């Protein structure tokens, strides 16, 4: 057993401003709702603890505007496609739009270049709501590339516009966009990764290089948390632990680690991080 465990917290971790804004607007809306029903289109964030609290405050999750005929709908920070705004307008459903400005920027680029006749290429996970939403600003006609094997062979375009999901590691963006730009005669390439993601990834990598084990806190379905896990595993393949809450550490013997680093995804609230630190302090 290590005599003293040193716990270090990543310089940048936890809630980013986009998620913070979405969550606080959601809590505000439930407080002010009076007799109106409030819904969110998909879970506000990828964090079950926050979702449970919002549910207790009266926020219901719907999958589509089709599911309701009245009420107020919160659009989460991941954003949605253009058709959702049109559908809500037709049904006269009020929207509270918490789309993160970084995501809005991508949607505007895609809308603009699609109108100019460019083939849109989105580097990202096709199943992620942010990517689906972005594709909804070019009529679903974007080519979505997650990995090298997704790149179509021998396909060329006169004009292509490349954007990237906000949480994609920069290294991967450069690797894939370097190949993709050869597909077009005229290429517009935008680094649309967000600074909050970059900061968290750099801080996690930096900290993983200084400790014996890393604890990464965040939803198992959170894309940006998963990226932090992968980054830490590059340096600490056998001693990176991905947990959602402090309970995730129970039964794990960490007592032999001298230095333990802690980081958290952009959708992990402060109180969950504090709980984990409290748990780790037992090993001190
Ligand atoms: S991770 Fe970046 S893009 Fe996503 S909500 Fe936070 S600030 Fe916005």
């Amino acid at each position: 057993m290590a005599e003293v465990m040193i716990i270090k917290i990543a310089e940048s971790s936890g809630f980013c401003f986009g998620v913070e804004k979405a969550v606080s607007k959601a809590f505000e809306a439930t407080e002010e709702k009076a007799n109106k029903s409030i819904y969110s289109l998909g879970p506000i964030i990828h964090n079950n603890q926050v979702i449970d609290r919002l549910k207790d405050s009266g926020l219901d999750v719907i999958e589509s505007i089709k599911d309701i005929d009245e009420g107020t709908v919160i659009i989460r920070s991941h954003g949605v496609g253009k058709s959702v705004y049109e559908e809500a307008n037709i049904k006269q459903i009020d929207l509270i739009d918490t789309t993160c400005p970084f995501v809005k920027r991508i949607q505007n680029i895609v809308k603009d270049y699609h109108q100019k006749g460019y083939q849109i290429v989105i580097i990202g996970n096709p199943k992620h709501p942010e990517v689906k939403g972005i594709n909804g600003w070019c009529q679903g006609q974007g080519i979505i590339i997650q990995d090298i094997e997704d790149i179509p062979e021998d396909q060329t375009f006169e004009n292509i516009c490349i954007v990237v999901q906000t949480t994609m590691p920069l290294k991967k963006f450069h690797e894939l966009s370097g190949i993709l730009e050869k597909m077009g005669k005229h290429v517009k390439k935008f680094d649309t990764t967000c600074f909050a993601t970059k900061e968290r990834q750099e801080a996690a990598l930096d900290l993983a290089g200084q400790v014996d084990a890393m604890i990464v806190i965040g939803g198992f379905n959170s894309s940006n948390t998963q990226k932090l896990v992968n980054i830490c595993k590059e340096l600490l393949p056998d001693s990176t632990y991905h947990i959602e809450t402090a309970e995730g550490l129970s039964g794990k013997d960490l007592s032999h680690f001298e230095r333990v680093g802690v980081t958290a995804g952009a959708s992990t609230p402060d109180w969950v991080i504090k709980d984990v630190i409290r748990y780790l302090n037992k090993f001190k």
Side-chain angles (χ1 to χ4, degrees):
M1 184 192 269
E3 280 188 6
V4 189
M5 180 189 279
I6 296 166
I7 301 161
K8 289 184 161 195
I9 301 162
E11 270 193 19
S12 175
S13 66
F15 266 15
C16 61
F17 85 92
V19 167
E20 176 117 49
K21 187 177 119 205
V23 171
S24 66
K25 284 223 168 179
F27 277 111
E28 253 171 50
T30 55
E31 276 163 27
E32 293 164 4
K33 71 175 182 162
N35 292 324
K36 265 187 145 185
S37 306
I38 307 269
Y39 307 95
S40 73
L41 204 45
I44 283 284
I45 58 169
H46 288 150
N47 183 281
N48 290 332
Q49 292 68 45
V50 176
I51 298 301
D52 287 346
R53 284 196 180 186
L54 281 167
K55 201 170 171 197
D56 292 343
S57 312
L59 183 83
D60 288 320
V61 177
I62 53 167
E63 290 310 317
S64 160
I65 297 278
K66 289 185 184 63
D67 298 345
I68 53 164
D69 291 315
E70 51 77 49
T72 299
V73 172
I74 303 174
I75 293 175
R76 58 191 171 170
S77 54
H78 296 317
V80 291
K82 193 174 172 215
S83 62
V84 174
Y85 293 91
E86 291 166 348
E87 206 176 342
N89 191 27
I90 292 167
K91 286 183 124 179
Q92 296 193 321
I93 285 176
D94 294 330
L95 295 178
I96 298 175
D97 191 354
T98 73
T99 305
C100 177
F102 287 111
V103 178
K104 200 75 209 152
R105 175 177 170 243
I106 310 178
Q107 294 176 348
N108 288 338
I109 293 171
V110 164
K111 182 178 158 211
D112 191 23
Y113 280 91
H114 174 65
Q115 277 169 359
K116 288 177 183 159
Y118 279 67
Q119 171 62 52
I120 302 295
V121 179
I122 307 164
I123 299 177
N125 175 356
K127 293 195 183 121
H128 194 279
E130 178 189 315
V131 174
K132 288 184 186 170
I134 293 167
N135 203 17
W137 290 88
C138 57
Q139 297 179 321
Q141 290 169 7
I143 297 174
I144 303 174
I145 305 291
Q146 187 169 17
D147 279 303
I148 287 189
E149 47 273 22
D150 303 329
I151 298 178
E153 274 175 36
D154 305 327
Q155 206 169 359
T156 52
F157 300 93
E158 186 67 16
N159 304 310
I160 70 167
C161 168
I162 305 168
V163 293
V164 55
Q165 185 179 352
T166 52
T167 50
M168 185 65 71
L170 263 186
K171 199 172 140 200
K172 192 147 187 191
F173 166 63
H174 290 308
E175 182 195 348
L176 293 176
S177 64
I179 305 171
L180 287 166
E181 54 194 4
K182 297 191 183 104
M183 282 168 56
K185 209 165 159 194
H186 302 108
V187 181
K188 291 281 174 194
K189 177 169 104 171
F190 297 90
D191 171 6
T192 50
T193 54
C194 89
F195 82 90
T197 302
K198 276 181 214 148
E199 271 178 5
R200 276 156 189 71
Q201 291 176 357
E202 280 167 15
L205 185 66
D206 183 44
L207 185 55
Q210 302 171 36
V211 295
D212 312 308
M214 279 297 288
I215 315 284
V216 185
I217 316 163
F220 293 135
N221 55 352
S222 151
S223 161
N224 75 83
T225 306
Q226 193 54 54
K227 304 267 164 43
L228 294 178
V229 173
N230 296 344
I231 284 169
C232 294
K233 277 194 172 167
E234 278 180 27
L235 292 183
L236 300 166
D238 301 321
S239 53
T240 293
Y241 301 89
H242 180 187
I243 56 166
E244 283 200 337
T245 61
E247 278 88 72
L249 289 176
S250 89
K252 294 197 167 52
D253 182 15
L254 305 172
S255 57
H256 55 289
F257 294 122
E258 268 179 38
R259 291 158 305 169
V260 173
V262 177
T263 187
S267 46
T268 309
D270 244 21
W271 46 272
V272 173
I273 302 172
K274 281 186 186 143
D275 262 4
V276 173
I277 307 285
R278 224 171 287 135
Y279 182 92
L280 287 173
N281 277 334
K282 290 197 292 193
F283 292 98
K284 270 194 158 183

